[in-house]
Amino acid sequence: MLLCIDCGNTNTVFAVWDGAEFVATFRTSTEHQRTADQYYVWFSQLMEHRGIRIDIHGVIISSTVPRVVFNLRVLCDRYFATRPLVVGKPDCLLPTAPRVDPGTQVGPDRLVNSAGAYDRHGGDIIVVDFGTATTFDVVAHDGAYVGGVIAPGVNLSLEALHMAAAALPHVDVTKPQKVIGTNTVACMQSGVFWGYVGVVQSITERIRAEYEKPMRVVGTGGLAPLFAQGDVLFDDIEEDLTMHGLTVIHRYNMEHA
């Protein structure tokens, strides 16, 4: 089985792929202090709870937090006797190289999303990923990542609002019943929800106008289904897009080893 690890700024996801489907997906908070032994105890107990035998023959990692990669490498060596592929490193091949300014380092999450989106939908796509940051990835006709947009994440914006304004509480992201709020919490929820609906609509429209070709919009990330309620923002919702992209890149590397 293949272990796919997606390490973001907030959460780290482990997903086990048996060649046909993901048989288990586990999520934990991202902490660079976590050791290889701690990762294994957490992972093995969850696998045992699900009744799944640990039989890992390959590992692929996408990490936007470089400090955690060392302990993940130790995990793979010590407990799975395998060397992981790390997206963004020279020994990890991409199906199509990104086309960006020389010297630009593209986030591994954006490369993985591009690979996953192209495999499922073909090219000329905008991937909107609701993570710690809200990113817009433009995938060309041949699957290459060719640029995009980075905006503050939804929860990051809420946290900043709460921290900067002492009178404003911390609120959860939800779709409000109406735009005009009649209390502080409702006003904040309306501003964030409908504000981000407007952000997604405006940026995707501008990308389409600049790209000058028809483009599909694919939403991913934990909040994508929530914002899909706000308007016709996405042509597709892919909650497992990043993990799927990791399987695509791993398969490509095995075929071209």
Side-chain angles (χ1 to χ4, degrees), residues 113-134:
N113 283 346
S114 297
Y118 181 71
D119 184 69
R120 282 184 170 167
H121 303 284
D124 299 329
I125 295 175
I126 305 168
V127 179
V128 184
D129 188 352
F130 291 90
T132 304
T134 300

Side-chain angles (χ1 to χ4, degrees), residues 54-77:
I54 297 177
D55 186 23
I56 303 299
H57 297 294
V59 182
I60 183 167
I61 300 169
S62 168
S63 177
T64 57
V65 186
R67 294 176 70 183
V68 306
V69 174
F70 174 78
N71 282 324
L72 290 174
R73 284 186 182 275
V74 174
L75 167 73
C76 298
D77 177 63

Side-chain angles (χ1 to χ4, degrees), residues 103-155:
T104 299
Q105 264 197 321
V106 181
D109 53 331
R110 311 186 82 174
L111 298 173
V112 171
N113 283 346
S114 297
Y118 181 71
D119 184 69
R120 282 184 170 167
H121 303 284
D124 299 329
I125 295 175
I126 305 168
V127 179
V128 184
D129 188 352
F130 291 90
T132 304
T134 300
T135 58
F136 299 75
D137 304 325
V138 179
V139 185
H141 69 280
D142 59 351
Y145 169 84
V146 293
V149 176
I150 301 175
V154 178
N155 286 309

Side-chain angles (χ1 to χ4, degrees), residues 221-245:
L223 292 176
L226 171 65
F227 281 93
Q229 301 177 56
D231 216 320
V232 185
L233 296 179
F234 311 114
D235 296 300
D236 302 280
I237 297 288
E238 299 279 2
E239 295 186 54
D240 66 341
L241 184 66
T242 302
M243 289 302 170
H244 177 67

Side-chain angles (χ1 to χ4, degrees), residues 126 134 136 148-151 198-209:
I126 305 168
T134 300
F136 299 75
V149 176
I150 301 175
V199 166
V200 173
Q201 286 178 326
S202 177
I203 292 178
T204 54
E205 286 174 5
R206 289 175 180 272
I207 289 173
R208 280 171 163 157

